[in-house]
Every structure is written in C-alpha cells, then in structure tokens.
Amino acid sequence: MTNCVLCKDDLKPDEGQVIWRGDDCRVILVNDQDLPGFCRVIWNRHVAEMTDLTQGERDHMMTLVFAVEGAIRHVLNPDKVNVAALGNMVPHIHWHVIPRFRDDAFFPGSPWSKRTQETLATTLEARRQKVQELPKAIKAAIAGLA
Amino acid sequence: MTNCVLCKDDLKPDEGQVIWRGDDCRVILVNDQDLPGFCRVIWNRHVAEMTDLTQGERDHMMTLVFAVEGAIRHVLNPDKVNVAALGNMVPHIHWHVIPRFRDDAFFPGSPWSKRTQETLATTLEARRQKVQELPKAIKAAIAGLA
C-alpha cells in the first residue's frame, strides 16, 4: 500500500537495522533508547491480520518470532520477553519481540504503558553492548531452523 | 506456583468466563468494560515463556490463539485485532486476543496505553450484545481445528 511505512521497506539508520531478510519476512533490530534488544519481525507483503495468512505462512512467521525470542533470551537473559502484534497505527503484520528487565523504564507495565522508572545509565550501556551480539545470534537461530 | 493467579485457575464471575478448556490450555472471555470481546488463551501449567514450550506445544497454543482471533473477527468485525503475550506481572504464559475499534477507549494506542477517548454508551452496549455470540463461535472454531 502506497502510504504504509512497512510496505516502503526503507529504514533510516537511526531507526534500526535489518538483521535478516527472507522471501516472506524480515527481522529488524530496533534502535530503542529504553529497551535495547527490541526486535521486530515484519511480514513483507501488506497483510493486516495473522488470520489473513495461510496456516503455513502463519507457522513460518511464528517460527521466526520464537527464533528471535530464543536468541534474545540467550544473549540478554531478560527477566521476561514481551511478544505482541498490535498494528493499530500500522495495520501491516509485524511482531514486536522485546526483552524486558525489572529495572527497565516501563516495567512491570507494557512497553506502551507509562514510564515507571529510569534505568541506570551504566546498566543501559552494558545492555547496549550485549545487544551487539544479537544480530549474529538471531541469524544463527534462523539458519538453524529445520 | 502457589502465588500465581493463573495457576489457581479460579475465576470470579465478574472477571469473566471460561469458554473452553483443554488438557494444555483454556480460553477465557474477559469481562472488560472498555474492550468487549477481550479474550485470553492461558497455558494451564506454570511456564513463563513460549520458548520454554516444545515446538508441538507452541504450535498447539498458537493454533488456539488464531482460532480465537478468527472467531472474534467473524462475530465482531473489529477494525483490528491485537495479540500479545506480556506476562510482566504474571509470568505464566497467557495470550491476550483483543478486538479493537477506531472508537474504543485506547485506539490507536495499545490496550495498556493512556485512554484517548470515550466510546458511545450505545455503541459499547451493542458490542456487548454481539459478544454473547462469541463463546459459541470460539467453541465451534476450536472444534473445527484439524
């Protein structure tokens, strides 16, 4: 769709980086100041809902989502992972896969809730350093899928 | 776990109703004042993350989640469906499956964002009436799974 930002498939360098791209989906590491390691799995074609996909397409996408979750857990060892497909603003299927920590800016709320606290700058910086290992881990996790 | 509300598996009548129960999962219709048709798919055992489940268990749960999404779309024809597994407060796998409308209290934000508007009382009431068809539709959708 002409006016859909996820159809355009261009990413400004300050928004994040494409980690992996397949025929149907791509995986983005989002440059989020509060939640380092925030990833997004995006369906390439413009489709609004998961139930608009075939069973096989759905399975494929969820396999990628959980491969990303696995890599995030392996690299960052978060207290929780949040997985969500909302799309109220951009109705083009994309899954947010987000490492959450007890001391992150929104914990225990959702990543879209009110800020609850400020994370220590040194802690955030250490997480950002770890996140540099994430692209390689995600690529390896996807490559290892049957 | 002793102190986990989702392990207890009891639901006060004003919280919602169990629509379907299987060996591994159950489906709840949540009594949400702002978002009628809000459903929850809960893993029965205490497990924190989707990647703690086996591939087969994950597939089973997501099949149920998308069966619920399909039934919600069929009965309520929402503008969008939101699907999310957060678990920051209750780290026991549960998926929120939520019909969203352009005039609902949080649109276009997440269901956990700040209220943006008030839905007309008559509109909400009409939706609540439609939601009465949802349990039957969800049961039929799950019964129809291969």
Side-chain angles (χ1 to χ4, degrees):
Chain A
M1 281 182 96
T2 355
N3 57 353
C4 171
V5 291
L6 292 183
C7 283
K8 287 202 184 70
D9 190 15
D10 54 351
L11 201 62
K12 295 183 193 86
D14 62 339
E15 287 177 336
Q17 54 173 298
V18 180
I19 292 178
W20 180 88
R21 186 187 298 272
D23 287 343
D24 293 319
C25 295
R26 58 191 191 272
V27 179
I28 306 287
L29 174 59
V30 180
N31 189 11
D32 190 288
Q33 288 311 299
D34 295 306
L35 301 167
F38 190 138
C39 291
R40 206 166 276 143
V41 183
I42 302 167
W43 192 255
N44 290 334
R45 273 189 299 121
H46 189 84
V47 176
E49 304 284 7
M50 287 298 287
T51 43
D52 291 328
L53 299 180
T54 66
Q55 174 80 51
E57 289 173 331
R58 270 204 297 270
D59 289 350
H60 175 57
M61 185 162 210
M62 296 318 297
T63 300
L64 290 172
V65 166
F66 296 127
V68 171
E69 175 180 301
I72 285 175
R73 293 180 72 186
H74 181 72
V75 172
L76 296 169
N77 193 27
D79 294 313
K80 191 67 193 69
V81 181
N82 290 176
V83 181
L86 307 179
N88 305 318
M89 300 199 199
V90 183
H92 174 139
I93 298 173
H94 57 283
W95 285 88
H96 306 286
V97 189
I98 312 165
R100 300 298 310 275
F101 293 91
R102 287 196 184 86
D103 63 357
D104 78 37
F106 307 97
F107 205 88
S110 87
W112 304 278
S113 300
K114 240 180 95 169
R115 295 181 83 87
T116 52
Q117 57 192 339
E118 292 303 316
T119 313
L120 278 177
T122 47
T123 304
L124 263 180
E125 190 46 41
R127 278 180 203 146
R128 284 184 197 124
Q129 286 298 319
K130 281 302 264 182
V131 163
Q132 295 184 13
E133 299 166 30
L134 195 53
K136 196 177 160 191
I138 288 175
K139 277 180 225 176
I142 295 176
L145 292 172
Chain B
M1 280 184 98
T2 355
N3 58 354
C4 172
V5 291
L6 292 183
C7 282
K8 286 201 184 70
D9 191 14
D10 55 351
L11 201 61
K12 295 183 195 86
D14 62 339
E15 287 176 335
Q17 54 173 299
V18 180
I19 292 180
W20 180 88
R21 187 187 298 273
D23 288 344
D24 294 318
C25 295
R26 58 192 191 270
V27 179
I28 305 288
L29 173 58
V30 180
N31 188 12
D32 189 289
Q33 289 310 299
D34 294 307
L35 301 167
F38 190 138
C39 292
R40 208 166 275 142
V41 183
I42 302 167
W43 192 255
N44 291 334
R45 273 189 299 121
H46 189 84
V47 176
E49 303 285 8
M50 285 299 287
T51 43
D52 291 328
L53 299 180
T54 66
Q55 174 81 51
E57 289 173 330
R58 270 204 297 270
D59 289 349
H60 174 57
M61 185 162 212
M62 296 319 295
T63 300
L64 290 172
V65 166
F66 296 127
V68 170
E69 175 180 300
I72 285 175
R73 292 180 73 186
H74 181 72
V75 171
L76 296 169
N77 193 28
D79 294 313
K80 192 67 194 67
V81 181
N82 290 175
V83 181
L86 307 178
N88 304 319
M89 302 198 196
V90 184
H92 173 138
I93 299 172
H94 58 284
W95 285 89
H96 306 286
V97 190
I98 311 165
R100 300 297 309 277
F101 293 91
R102 288 197 184 88
D103 63 355
D104 77 37
F106 307 99
F107 205 89
S110 88
W112 304 278
S113 300
K114 241 181 96 171
R115 296 180 83 86
T116 52
Q117 56 192 340
E118 292 304 316
T119 314
L120 278 177
T122 48
T123 304
L124 263 180
E125 189 48 39
R127 276 178 204 149
R128 285 186 195 121
Q129 286 298 320
K130 282 303 265 182
V131 163
Q132 296 185 12
E133 298 166 30
L134 194 53
K136 196 176 159 192
I138 288 176
K139 276 180 224 173
I142 294 176
L145 294 172

